[in-house]
Amino acid sequence: MTRSTAPSSLGSNLLLRTDSYKVSHWRQYPPGTQTVFSYIESRGGAFSHALFFGLQAYLREYLSTPVTVADVDEAAALMAVHGEPFNRDGWMRLIEKHGGYMPVRIRAVPEGSVVPVHNVLATIENTDPEFFWVTSFLETELLRAVWYPTTVATLSGAAKATLLRYLEATCDNPQGQIAFKLHDFGARGVSSLESAALGGMAHLVNFMGTDTIVALVAARRYYDCDVAGFSIPAAEHSTITGWGRDRESSAYRNMVEQFGKPGATFAVVSDSYDIFNACDRIWGTELKDLVMRSGATLVVRPDSGDPAETVLKVAEILAARFGTTTNAKGYRVLDNVRIIQGDGIDLGSLRLCLSNLFHNGFSAENIAFGMGGGLLQQVNRDTMQWAMKCSAMQVDGQWRDVFKSPVGDPGKASKKGRLTLVRNAEGRAETVRMEAMGERQQDLLDTVFENGEILKSTSFEAVRERASQAARSLVPSRAPL
């Protein structure tokens, strides 16, 4: 039997986690180059602000591991047939001089911070002039490590801000409700296990409901969080349709008998055949007393049809059958039952569902949402127009500005100089050149990594606290309900 001699992990070799053209860049810089300084920003796109998250996961998982001679050998062999001029001597020298650890300094805004777009969120520069070429070599994986979890966290934060506005308008205890109002259904809809982990973890910055278990593992491993999210027993279509159409009520009865304990919550997908019949004749008539006696909260899940129309009709049927209580703000709250809409949800349909309920007198506490692909997969680097660009170089001891300004797309113009982030006189975050920072201005970027060592870590609790304080910025406050 032949055993593989390949590395244990596809991403274990830093030298192979870049783009092919990066391999030749060590030959392309001006003679005398000593330092290359680059920054990461969102250049706009779908949101006005970015909720920064995910860098620490990358630092712990990838950048804390040194390059080895075996890594160099593997990369050299591959590049020899791939067609790129490999810098073997440079990498071997890095192993000799720095033990294989990256001689770079990474500074970043604290994770969980909400910063207006078009601002620097992280910077990187080499700390040893001999390895000026390392800064750009790391661009591919560093940008990837930042843009995806930050975009998901921003999207999730925008959903939270929207939900909070409706809860505050229609619910007596908005803060007590918000944590479980958006549930992550996205594990099966992403392109990889790592995407599920990073994206699912990014969602948990804003909420505590998830079915993406690997996100819990990631939050524990990278942010020292014991348990970042929770779930409830829930049916899928096979556990309902497996009983047969003529025994649909038996399938529902079984769910109540199995999980309907006092104080418990459980969810039952109820659209396998006719969601409205299920709510009216089965849940609302045949099984009504059983549900009420159980002392549990039944969560009915529609999973087809137009989300806004279906949710409102289900709410009206359940209200007629189970009754409602009017809260202190004058909105109806369903007795014994709730709704979760997990099909076709994005920011637009979520807002329509909430608006429909609002204008028909129902509190937003009646509903929770599940998002899958719309949360973890239907984003890309262009969603927030992410870029990492070199903005300064030190050549022969002198710093020079580096920038691009393409005539065909002014939106792609890049910033100049060695940059940092401060608060201006109005209290807003603003990108400035380091040498222009005022004596009384606080530098908002922290050095989190230097020469192979993580210098500053944050907890998941701290990330959540920062995000919670500023997340309302993610949705315009004047948007109509």
Side-chain angles (χ1 to χ4, degrees):
M1 179 178 179
T2 302
R3 294 186 181 274
S4 172
T5 58
S8 58
S9 170
L10 184 65
S12 63
N13 189 340
L14 179 147
L15 280 64
L16 302 179
R17 296 199 300 261
T18 192
D19 292 309
S20 296
Y21 79 143
K22 293 285 188 183
V23 180
S24 68
H25 288 178
W26 60 287
R27 289 184 174 180
Q28 299 180 30
Y29 287 97
T33 299
Q34 297 167 287
T35 309
V36 175
F37 180 101
S38 297
Y39 71 96
I40 292 176
E41 71 169 335
S42 163
R43 297 182 294 202
F47 303 100
S48 63
H49 291 67
L51 198 171
F52 185 69
F53 179 69
L55 177 60
Q56 184 167 297
Y58 163 70
L59 297 178
R60 288 193 178 185
E61 179 67 23
Y62 292 111
L63 213 57
S64 297
T65 301
V67 171
T68 67
V69 174
D71 292 335
V72 176
D73 289 342
E74 181 187 22
L78 180 59
M79 293 305 133
V81 294
H82 185 50
E84 294 288 348
F86 182 65
N87 188 9
R88 181 184 180 90
D89 290 342
W91 286 110
M92 292 300 292
R93 174 64 175 157
L94 189 146
I95 293 172
E96 174 190 357
K97 191 173 183 181
H98 294 284
Y101 291 100
M102 293 299 101
V104 297
R105 178 182 303 112
I106 298 175
R107 306 180 73 242
V109 68
E111 297 195 34
S113 299
V114 177
V115 180
V117 297
H118 302 292
N119 278 297
V120 56
L121 295 172
T123 66
I124 179 173
E125 60 186 317
N126 59 289
T127 57
D128 185 336
E130 191 174 350
F131 302 99
F132 61 88
W133 42 271
V134 170
T135 300
S136 180
F137 191 91
L138 293 174
E139 175 189 351
T140 304
E141 64 176 35
L142 180 56
L143 183 59
R144 180 173 58 223
V146 167
W147 83 254
Y148 175 66
T150 298
T151 301
V152 174
T154 303
L155 170 61
S156 173
K160 181 179 181 179
T162 299
L163 282 157
L164 267 174
R165 292 193 66 226
Y166 281 92
L167 286 170
E168 287 169 349
T170 67
C171 170
D172 293 341
N173 183 20
Q175 291 301 324
Q177 291 280 323
I178 188 62
F180 294 96
K181 284 301 177 185
L182 184 63
H183 203 88
D184 174 12
F185 285 174
R188 72 190 61 186
V190 290
S191 59
S192 69
L193 181 66
E194 185 168 80
S195 293
L198 295 176
M201 181 172 57
H203 166 70
L204 290 172
V205 168
N206 302 294
F207 295 93
M208 297 185 73
T210 186
D211 262 32
T212 302
I213 295 174
V214 71
L216 309 181
V217 178
R220 177 175 292 184
R221 179 175 300 176
Y222 303 131
Y223 292 87
D224 307 314
C225 182
D226 186 29
V227 182
F230 303 88
S231 189
I232 60 172
E236 71 172 23
H237 285 103
S238 75
T239 66
I240 303 302
T241 58
W243 291 71
R245 182 165 189 162
D246 58 343
R247 299 187 66 204
E248 183 181 6
S249 64
S250 298
Y252 296 160
R253 179 183 296 274
N254 178 66
M255 289 295 295
V256 182
E257 292 172 346
Q258 294 293 331
F259 305 111
K261 314 302 179 186
T265 302
F266 64 99
V268 184
V269 62
S270 302
D271 76 322
S272 296
Y273 309 108
D274 184 339
I275 179 64
F276 308 119
N277 178 73
C279 292
D280 186 20
R281 296 177 179 270
I282 303 178
W283 288 123
T285 304
E286 182 180 346
L287 300 179
K288 174 183 174 181
D289 290 343
L290 182 66
V291 171
M292 295 179 68
R293 289 196 308 268
S294 73
T297 299
L298 162 68
V299 182
V300 174
R301 177 160 73 95
D303 198 49
S304 53
D306 178 85
E309 293 179 6
T310 300
V311 161
L312 179 59
K313 188 171 181 179
V314 165
E316 289 173 335
I317 294 171
L318 294 176
R321 290 303 186 186
F322 285 89
T324 63
T325 300
T326 301
N327 65 22
K329 292 184 177 176
Y331 289 84
R332 290 184 288 169
V333 180
L334 295 168
D335 294 335
N336 302 102
V337 293
R338 294 290 185 268
I339 303 164
I340 184 167
Q341 176 65 33
D343 177 62
I345 293 302
D346 55 25
L347 288 178
S349 60
L350 181 146
R351 189 175 291 110
L352 282 175
C353 288
L354 291 168
S355 180
N356 246 13
L357 292 174
F358 171 78
H359 289 290
N360 285 276
F362 286 99
S363 170
E365 65 191 280
N366 290 301
I367 190 168
F369 295 89
M371 284 181 74
L375 179 65
L376 303 189
Q377 185 70 18
Q378 291 173 21
V379 297
N380 56 48
R381 188 164 70 91
D382 291 333
T383 301
M384 297 182 67
Q385 298 176 17
W386 288 98
M388 175 171 157
K389 295 298 177 185
C390 174
S391 59
M393 285 186 192
Q394 187 184 37
V395 181
D396 293 328
Q398 299 296 315
W399 282 99
R400 61 174 64 168
D401 289 349
V402 178
F403 66 98
K404 73 172 189 175
S405 184
V407 65
D409 190 350
K412 287 191 172 183
S414 62
K415 293 176 168 56
K416 306 174 185 178
R418 299 180 72 210
L419 305 170
T420 193
L421 191 71
V422 300
R423 293 207 181 278
N424 61 23
E426 290 76 36
R428 295 192 301 270
E430 181 180 4
T431 298
V432 298
R433 300 169 74 105
M434 285 185 176
E435 64 270 20
M437 188 172 65
E439 291 183 3
R440 296 185 179 181
Q441 287 183 309
Q442 179 188 359
D443 192 336
L444 299 181
L445 301 188
D446 296 322
T447 300
V448 294
F449 180 92
E450 189 168 314
N451 299 334
E453 183 179 358
I454 297 175
L455 298 184
K456 188 167 187 177
S457 292
T458 189
S459 67
F460 204 67
E461 181 180 357
V463 174
R464 278 175 161 166
E465 179 62 26
R466 293 186 198 104
S468 179
Q469 291 176 358
R472 293 176 189 274
S473 303
L474 296 169
V475 167
S477 60
R478 295 182 183 179
L481 290 172

